[in-house]
Coordinates of all heavy atoms in Angstrom, one line a residue:
D916 N 14.5 10.7 -2.6 CA 15.1 11.6 -1.6 C 16.2 12.4 -2.3 O 17.1 11.8 -2.7 CB 15.5 10.8 -0.4 CG 16.0 11.7 0.7 OD1 16.5 12.8 0.5 OD2 16.1 11.1 1.9
P917 N 16.2 13.8 -2.4 CA 17.4 14.4 -3.1 C 18.6 14.1 -2.3 O 19.6 14.1 -3.1 CB 16.9 15.9 -2.8 CG 15.4 15.9 -2.6 CD 15.2 14.7 -1.9
A918 N 18.6 13.8 -1.0 CA 19.8 13.5 -0.4 C 20.4 12.1 -0.7 O 21.6 11.8 -0.6 CB 19.7 13.5 1.2
Q919 N 19.4 11.2 -1.1 CA 20.0 9.8 -1.4 C 19.1 9.3 -2.6 O 18.2 8.5 -2.4 CB 19.7 8.9 -0.3 CG 20.9 8.8 0.7 CD 20.6 7.6 1.6 OE1 19.7 7.5 2.4 NE2 21.7 6.8 1.7
P920 N 19.2 9.9 -3.9 CA 18.4 9.6 -5.0 C 18.5 8.1 -5.4 O 17.5 7.6 -6.0 CB 18.9 10.4 -6.1 CG 20.2 10.9 -5.7 CD 20.3 10.8 -4.1
D921 N 19.5 7.3 -5.0 CA 19.6 6.0 -5.5 C 19.2 5.0 -4.3 O 19.4 3.8 -4.5 CB 21.0 5.7 -5.9 CG 21.4 6.5 -7.1 OD1 20.5 6.7 -8.0 OD2 22.6 6.8 -7.2
A922 N 18.6 5.4 -3.3 CA 18.1 4.6 -2.1 C 17.2 3.6 -2.7 O 16.3 3.9 -3.5 CB 17.6 5.5 -1.1
D923 N 17.3 2.3 -2.1 CA 16.5 1.2 -2.6 C 15.1 1.4 -1.8 O 15.0 1.2 -0.6 CB 17.1 0.0 -2.2 CG 16.2 -1.3 -2.5 OD1 15.2 -1.2 -3.0 OD2 16.8 -2.4 -2.3
P924 N 14.0 1.6 -2.6 CA 12.7 1.9 -1.9 C 12.3 0.7 -1.1 O 11.7 0.8 0.0 CB 11.7 2.2 -3.0 CG 12.4 2.0 -4.3 CD 13.9 1.8 -4.0
S925 N 12.5 -0.6 -1.6 CA 12.0 -1.8 -0.8 C 12.9 -1.9 0.4 O 12.3 -2.3 1.5 CB 12.2 -3.0 -1.7 OG 11.3 -3.0 -2.8
R926 N 14.1 -1.7 0.4 CA 14.9 -1.8 1.6 C 14.5 -0.7 2.6 O 14.3 -1.0 3.8 CB 16.4 -1.6 1.3 CG 17.3 -1.8 2.5 CD 18.8 -1.8 1.9 NE 19.8 -2.1 3.1 CZ 20.2 -1.0 3.8 NH1 20.1 0.2 3.5 NH2 21.0 -1.3 4.8
G927 N 14.3 0.5 2.2 CA 13.8 1.6 3.0 C 12.4 1.3 3.7 O 12.2 1.6 4.8
F928 N 11.6 0.7 2.8 CA 10.2 0.3 3.3 C 10.4 -0.7 4.5 O 9.8 -0.5 5.4 CB 9.5 -0.5 2.2 CG 8.0 -0.7 2.3 CD1 7.1 0.1 1.7 CD2 7.5 -1.7 3.1 CE1 5.8 0.0 1.9 CE2 6.3 -1.9 3.2 CZ 5.4 -1.1 2.6
Q929 N 11.3 -1.7 4.3 CA 11.4 -2.7 5.4 C 12.1 -2.1 6.6 O 11.7 -2.5 7.7 CB 12.4 -3.8 4.8 CG 11.6 -4.7 3.8 CD 12.5 -5.6 3.0 OE1 13.8 -5.4 2.9 NE2 12.0 -6.7 2.6
Q930 N 13.0 -1.1 6.4 CA 13.6 -0.5 7.6 C 12.5 0.3 8.4 O 12.4 0.3 9.6 CB 14.7 0.6 7.2 CG 15.8 -0.2 6.7 CD 17.0 0.7 6.1 OE1 16.7 1.8 5.6 NE2 18.2 0.3 6.3
V931 N 11.6 1.0 7.7 CA 10.5 1.8 8.4 C 9.7 0.8 9.0 O 9.2 1.0 10.3 CB 9.8 2.6 7.3 CG1 8.5 3.3 8.0 CG2 10.6 3.7 6.7
I932 N 9.2 -0.3 8.5 CA 8.4 -1.4 9.1 C 9.0 -1.9 10.3 O 8.5 -2.0 11.4 CB 8.1 -2.5 8.1 CG1 7.2 -2.0 6.9 CG2 7.5 -3.6 8.8 CD1 5.7 -1.6 7.3
A933 N 10.4 -2.2 10.2 CA 11.1 -2.6 11.4 C 11.0 -1.6 12.6 O 10.9 -2.0 13.7 CB 12.5 -2.9 11.1
R934 N 11.2 -0.3 12.2 CA 11.1 0.7 13.3 C 9.7 0.8 13.9 O 9.6 1.1 15.1 CB 11.5 2.1 12.6 CG 11.5 3.3 13.4 CD 12.6 3.3 14.5 NE 14.0 3.2 13.9 CZ 14.7 4.2 13.6 NH1 14.3 5.5 14.0 NH2 15.9 4.0 13.2
L935 N 8.7 0.5 13.1 CA 7.4 0.7 13.7 C 6.8 -0.6 14.4 O 6.0 -0.5 15.3 CB 6.3 0.9 12.5 CG 6.6 2.2 11.6 CD1 5.7 2.2 10.5 CD2 6.4 3.4 12.6
A936 N 7.3 -1.7 14.1 CA 6.8 -3.0 14.6 C 7.0 -3.0 16.1 O 7.9 -2.8 16.7 CB 7.6 -4.2 14.0
G937 N 5.7 -3.3 16.8 CA 5.7 -3.4 18.1 C 5.6 -2.0 18.9 O 5.5 -2.1 20.1
R938 N 5.6 -1.0 18.2 CA 5.5 0.4 18.7 C 4.5 1.3 18.2 O 4.1 2.2 18.9 CB 7.0 1.0 18.4 CG 8.2 0.2 19.1 CD 9.4 0.8 18.7 NE 9.6 2.0 19.2 CZ 10.2 3.1 18.7 NH1 10.8 3.0 17.5 NH2 10.2 4.3 19.3
A939 N 4.0 1.0 16.9 CA 3.0 1.9 16.4 C 1.6 1.5 16.7 O 1.4 0.3 17.1 CB 3.2 1.9 14.8
R940 N 0.7 2.5 16.8 CA -0.6 2.2 17.0 C -1.3 1.3 16.0 O -2.0 0.4 16.2 CB -1.4 3.5 17.2 CG -2.9 3.3 17.6 CD -3.5 4.7 18.0 NE -3.6 5.5 16.8 CZ -4.7 5.6 16.1 NH1 -5.7 4.7 16.3 NH2 -4.8 6.4 15.1
V941 N -1.1 1.8 14.7 CA -1.6 0.9 13.7 C -0.8 1.3 12.5 O -0.4 2.5 12.3 CB -3.1 1.1 13.4 CG1 -3.4 2.6 13.0 CG2 -3.7 0.3 12.2
V942 N -0.5 0.3 11.5 CA 0.3 0.6 10.4 C -0.4 0.0 9.1 O -0.9 -1.2 9.1 CB 1.6 -0.2 10.4 CG1 2.5 -0.1 9.2 CG2 2.4 0.4 11.7
A943 N -0.5 0.9 8.1 CA -1.0 0.4 6.8 C 0.2 0.1 5.8 O 1.0 0.9 5.7 CB -1.9 1.5 6.2
V944 N 0.2 -1.1 5.4 CA 1.2 -1.5 4.5 C 0.7 -1.3 3.1 O -0.2 -2.0 2.6 CB 1.5 -3.0 4.7 CG1 2.6 -3.5 3.6 CG2 2.2 -3.3 6.1
A945 N 1.2 -0.2 2.4 CA 0.9 0.1 1.0 C 1.8 -0.2 0.0 O 2.6 0.4 -0.4 CB 0.5 1.6 1.1
T946 N 1.6 -1.5 -0.5 CA 2.4 -2.0 -1.6 C 1.7 -3.1 -2.3 O 0.8 -3.8 -1.7 CB 3.7 -2.6 -1.0 OG1 4.5 -3.1 -2.1 CG2 3.5 -3.8 -0.1
H947 N 1.9 -3.2 -3.6 CA 1.3 -4.2 -4.4 C 2.3 -5.3 -4.7 O 2.0 -6.2 -5.3 CB 1.0 -3.6 -5.8 CG -0.3 -2.7 -5.9 ND1 -1.5 -3.1 -6.1 CD2 -0.4 -1.4 -5.4 CE1 -2.4 -2.2 -5.9 NE2 -1.7 -1.1 -5.5
D948 N 3.5 -5.2 -4.0 CA 4.5 -6.2 -4.1 C 4.1 -7.4 -3.2 O 4.3 -7.1 -1.9 CB 5.9 -5.6 -3.8 CG 7.0 -6.6 -3.8 OD1 6.8 -7.8 -3.7 OD2 8.1 -6.2 -4.0
P949 N 3.8 -8.5 -3.6 CA 3.3 -9.6 -2.6 C 4.4 -10.1 -1.7 O 4.1 -10.3 -0.6 CB 2.9 -10.8 -3.6 CG 2.7 -10.2 -4.9 CD 3.5 -8.9 -5.0
V950 N 5.7 -10.0 -2.2 CA 6.7 -10.5 -1.3 C 7.0 -9.4 -0.2 O 7.1 -9.7 1.0 CB 8.0 -10.7 -2.1 CG1 9.2 -11.0 -1.2 CG2 7.8 -11.8 -3.1
L951 N 7.0 -8.2 -0.5 CA 7.2 -7.1 0.4 C 6.0 -7.0 1.4 O 6.2 -6.8 2.5 CB 7.5 -5.8 -0.3 CG 7.7 -4.6 0.5 CD1 9.0 -4.8 1.4 CD2 7.9 -3.4 -0.3
A952 N 4.8 -7.2 0.8 CA 3.6 -7.2 1.6 C 3.7 -8.3 2.7 O 3.5 -8.1 3.9 CB 2.4 -7.4 0.8
R953 N 4.0 -9.6 2.3 CA 4.1 -10.6 3.1 C 5.1 -10.5 4.3 O 4.7 -10.6 5.5 CB 4.4 -12.0 2.4 CG 4.6 -13.2 3.3 CD 4.9 -14.4 2.6 NE 4.0 -14.8 1.6 CZ 2.7 -15.3 1.8 NH1 2.4 -15.5 3.1 NH2 2.0 -15.6 0.9
S954 N 6.3 -10.1 3.9 CA 7.3 -9.9 5.0 C 7.0 -8.7 5.9 O 7.1 -8.9 7.2 CB 8.7 -9.6 4.3 OG 8.8 -8.4 3.7
S955 N 6.4 -7.6 5.4 CA 6.0 -6.6 6.3 C 4.8 -6.9 7.2 O 4.9 -6.6 8.3 CB 5.7 -5.4 5.5 OG 6.7 -5.0 4.6
L956 N 3.8 -7.5 6.6 CA 2.7 -7.9 7.5 C 3.0 -8.9 8.5 O 2.6 -8.8 9.7 CB 1.5 -8.4 6.7 CG 0.9 -7.4 5.7 CD1 0.0 -8.0 4.6 CD2 0.1 -6.3 6.4
L957 N 3.9 -9.9 8.1 CA 4.3 -10.9 9.2 C 5.0 -10.3 10.3 O 4.8 -10.6 11.5 CB 5.1 -12.0 8.5 CG 4.3 -13.1 7.6 CD1 5.3 -14.0 6.9 CD2 3.4 -13.9 8.6
R958 N 5.9 -9.4 10.0 CA 6.7 -8.7 11.0 C 5.8 -7.9 12.0 O 6.0 -8.0 13.2 CB 7.8 -7.7 10.4 CG 8.6 -7.1 11.4 CD 9.8 -6.4 10.8 NE 10.9 -6.4 11.7 CZ 12.2 -6.4 11.4 NH1 12.5 -6.4 10.1 NH2 13.1 -6.5 12.3
L959 N 4.8 -7.2 11.4 CA 3.9 -6.4 12.2 C 3.0 -7.3 13.0 O 2.8 -7.2 14.2 CB 3.1 -5.5 11.3 CG 3.9 -4.4 10.6 CD1 3.1 -3.7 9.6 CD2 4.3 -3.4 11.7
I960 N 2.5 -8.3 12.5 CA 1.6 -9.3 13.1 C 2.4 -9.9 14.2 O 1.9 -10.0 15.4 CB 1.1 -10.4 12.3 CG1 0.1 -9.8 11.2 CG2 0.4 -11.6 12.9 CD1 -0.3 -10.7 10.0
K961 N 3.6 -10.4 14.1 CA 4.4 -11.1 15.0 C 4.8 -10.1 16.3 O 4.9 -10.6 17.4 CB 5.7 -11.6 14.5 CG 5.4 -12.9 13.6 CD 6.8 -13.4 13.0 CE 6.5 -14.6 12.2 NZ 7.7 -15.2 11.5
S962 N 4.8 -8.8 15.9 CA 5.1 -7.9 17.0 C 3.8 -7.4 17.7 O 4.0 -6.6 18.6 CB 5.8 -6.7 16.4 OG 4.9 -5.9 15.6
G963 N 2.6 -7.9 17.2 CA 1.4 -7.5 17.8 C 0.9 -6.1 17.4 O 0.1 -5.5 18.0
T964 N 1.4 -5.6 16.3 CA 1.0 -4.3 15.7 C -0.2 -4.4 14.8 O -0.1 -5.2 13.9 CB 2.3 -3.7 15.0 OG1 3.4 -3.6 15.8 CG2 1.8 -2.2 14.5
P965 N -1.3 -3.8 15.1 CA -2.4 -3.9 14.2 C -2.1 -3.3 12.9 O -1.3 -2.3 12.7 CB -3.4 -2.9 14.9 CG -3.0 -2.8 16.3 CD -1.5 -2.9 16.4
C966 N -2.5 -4.0 11.8 CA -2.1 -3.6 10.5 C -3.1 -3.9 9.5 O -4.0 -4.7 9.7 CB -0.7 -4.2 10.1 SG -0.7 -6.0 10.3
E967 N -2.9 -3.3 8.3 CA -3.8 -3.6 7.1 C -2.9 -3.4 5.9 O -1.9 -2.9 5.9 CB -4.9 -2.6 7.1 CG -4.6 -1.3 6.9 CD -5.9 -0.3 7.0 OE1 -6.9 -0.8 7.5 OE2 -5.8 0.8 6.5
L968 N -3.5 -4.0 4.8 CA -2.7 -3.9 3.4 C -3.7 -2.8 2.7 O -4.9 -2.9 2.7 CB -2.8 -5.1 2.7 CG -2.1 -5.1 1.3 CD1 -0.7 -4.8 1.4 CD2 -2.4 -6.4 0.6
E969 N -2.9 -1.8 2.0 CA -3.5 -0.9 1.2 C -3.2 -1.0 -0.2 O -2.0 -1.1 -0.5 CB -3.2 0.6 1.8 CG -4.0 0.9 3.0 CD -4.0 2.3 3.4 OE1 -3.3 3.1 2.7 OE2 -4.4 2.6 4.5
L970 N -4.1 -1.1 -1.0 CA -3.9 -1.2 -2.6 C -4.5 -0.1 -3.3 O -5.6 0.3 -3.0 CB -4.3 -2.6 -3.0 CG -3.8 -3.8 -2.3 CD1 -4.5 -5.0 -2.7 CD2 -2.2 -3.9 -2.6

Side-chain angles (χ1 to χ4, degrees):
D916 183 340
Q919 273 191 306
D921 296 327
D923 178 359
S925 294
R926 184 170 182 269
F928 191 104
Q929 291 170 333
Q930 289 173 332
V931 173
I932 293 293
R934 180 71 54 100
L935 299 172
R938 301 176 62 216
R940 183 171 67 88
V941 63
V942 176
V944 173
T946 182
H947 287 264
D948 177 341
V950 174
L951 186 57
R953 177 180 301 284
S954 67
S955 300
L956 292 170
L957 281 172
R958 184 170 211 155
L959 293 166
I960 291 166
K961 287 179 182 176
S962 72
T964 306
C966 56
E967 65 184 18
L968 178 67
E969 290 190 0
L970 301 172

